[in-house]
């Protein structure tokens, strides 16, 4: 089975612009989580979706939004980009059993100039 | 605030030796614990999960959990240069969302 896929792999945007990042979970996984990781830190939780419903939201401003589609893929949107939004954005899908193991995609490297 | 603490390192270990990585967490209700390996510029890769007190072994890796002390560790036996990476500890909270440590950088010296 294919792993978690994310697109694009790299992105360069200008301050004030908007960006959409995409993620497809592992087949059979219904939950997707989004994380932001800046250099030297662990991932910071942004959103979790399960069966198209938001299950959790981290401490991020309203400029960040997400949604999950009927096929369980997901999009993360960031509006009014700031320089500080430059980071690796990670998507993870959660195992459908009770283990709560999360498996990550390759990430999207966002650079805001 | 729920926290997961790790020594940032770097932890330098000779090739062939045992590397010991440690993690403490603040939420006593946590039930699920994970170790991820992350190479520079790459995404985290799950290497171990542990749910019960005691040891869990998988190849050269052993995870140890002590819920009373709120302590999780990862031992890597016969360390190889390819084990050089940042190791992230993650703990699932009561909502099954992962709380992450900042990671320990491990360097295996040939």
């Amino acid at each position: 089975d294919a792993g978690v896929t994310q697109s694009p792999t790299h992105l360069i945007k200008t301050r004030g612009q908007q960006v959409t990042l995409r993620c497809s979970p592992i087949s059979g996984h219904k939950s997707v989580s989004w994380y932001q990781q800046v250099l030297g830190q662990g991932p910071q939780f942004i959103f979790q979706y399960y069966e198209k419903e938001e299950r959790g939201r981290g401490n991020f401003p309203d400029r960040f939004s997400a949604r999950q589609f009927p096929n369980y893929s997901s999009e993360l949107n960031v509006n009014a980009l700031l320089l500080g939004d430059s980071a690796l954005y990670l998507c993870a899908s959660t195992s459908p059993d009770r283990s709560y193991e999360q498996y990550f995609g390759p990430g999207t490297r966002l650079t805001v100039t | 605030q729920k926290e997961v603490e790790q020594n940032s390192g770097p932890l330098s270990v000779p090739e062939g030796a045992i590397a010991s990585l440690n993690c403490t967490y603040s939420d006593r209700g946590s039930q699920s614990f994970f170790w991820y390996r992350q190479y520079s510029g790459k995404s985290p890769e799950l290497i171990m999960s542990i749910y019960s007190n005691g040891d869990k072994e998988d190849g050269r890796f052993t995870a140890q959990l002590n819920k009373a002390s709120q302590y999780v560790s990862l031992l890597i036996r016969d360390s190889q240069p390819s084990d050089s990476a940042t190791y992230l500890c993650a703990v699932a909270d009561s909502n099954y969302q992962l709380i992450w440590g900042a990671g320990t950088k491990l360097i295996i010296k040939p």
Side-chain angles (χ1 to χ4, degrees):
Chain A
D1 280 345
V4 178
T5 60
Q6 290 186 246
S7 64
T9 54
H10 295 85
L11 204 51
I12 299 174
K13 290 286 189 177
T14 304
R15 276 180 300 174
Q17 287 187 317
Q18 175 265 340
V19 67
T20 298
L21 310 180
R22 296 176 175 83
C23 170
S24 291
I26 293 170
S27 177
H29 289 197
K30 300 178 180 180
S31 179
V32 167
S33 299
W34 287 95
Y35 296 89
Q36 181 196 67
Q37 188 178 28
V38 298
L39 198 62
Q41 296 184 18
Q44 297 295 311
F45 171 69
I46 309 176
F47 287 108
Q48 185 181 62
Y49 276 79
Y50 176 74
E51 291 274 18
K52 297 172 287 179
E53 297 291 325
E54 182 182 300
R55 256 198 172 176
R57 168 189 280 259
N59 188 23
F60 279 81
D62 291 344
R63 299 184 296 108
F64 289 76
S65 64
R67 55 180 175 169
Q68 187 177 32
F69 299 99
N71 66 353
Y72 305 113
S73 67
S74 178
E75 287 183 351
L76 175 70
N77 295 284
V78 187
N79 293 322
L81 285 167
L82 303 174
L83 294 178
D85 295 331
S86 296
L88 180 65
Y89 287 85
L90 297 163
C91 174
S93 71
T94 303
S95 176
D97 62 20
R98 301 290 290 179
S99 70
Y100 308 111
E101 294 177 347
Q102 293 190 13
Y103 299 91
F104 284 86
T108 294
R109 173 71 62 186
L110 173 64
T111 302
V112 182
T113 62
Chain B
Q1 185 173 347
K2 300 168 186 173
E3 293 182 337
V4 175
E5 300 286 343
Q6 295 181 255
N7 188 319
S8 62
L11 174 65
S12 186
V13 173
E15 183 176 358
I18 296 175
S20 178
L21 304 161
N22 304 312
C23 169
T24 59
Y25 61 95
S26 62
D27 183 1
R28 281 199 171 274
S30 299
Q31 298 294 323
S32 306
F33 307 86
F34 308 94
W35 283 99
Y36 286 79
R37 176 176 64 199
Q38 186 173 29
Y39 294 113
S40 180
K42 302 296 185 182
S43 61
E45 174 192 8
L46 178 66
I47 54 173
M48 289 289 286
S49 56
I50 187 166
Y51 307 94
S52 304
N53 279 329
D55 295 359
K56 179 182 178 182
E57 186 174 320
D58 183 0
R60 296 187 296 113
F61 298 98
T62 299
Q64 300 175 317
L65 174 61
N66 183 327
K67 290 183 180 179
S69 300
Q70 296 174 248
Y71 178 91
V72 192
S73 65
L74 179 70
L75 302 178
I76 306 174
R77 290 182 299 281
D78 188 23
S79 296
Q80 302 297 309
S82 59
D83 295 327
S84 297
T86 296
Y87 288 80
L88 296 160
C89 174
V91 177
D93 68 9
S94 55
N95 294 317
Y96 311 114
Q97 292 162 9
L98 295 187
I99 311 299
W100 294 80
T104 298
K105 184 173 183 178
L106 176 65
I107 298 172
I108 306 300
K109 299 181 298 183

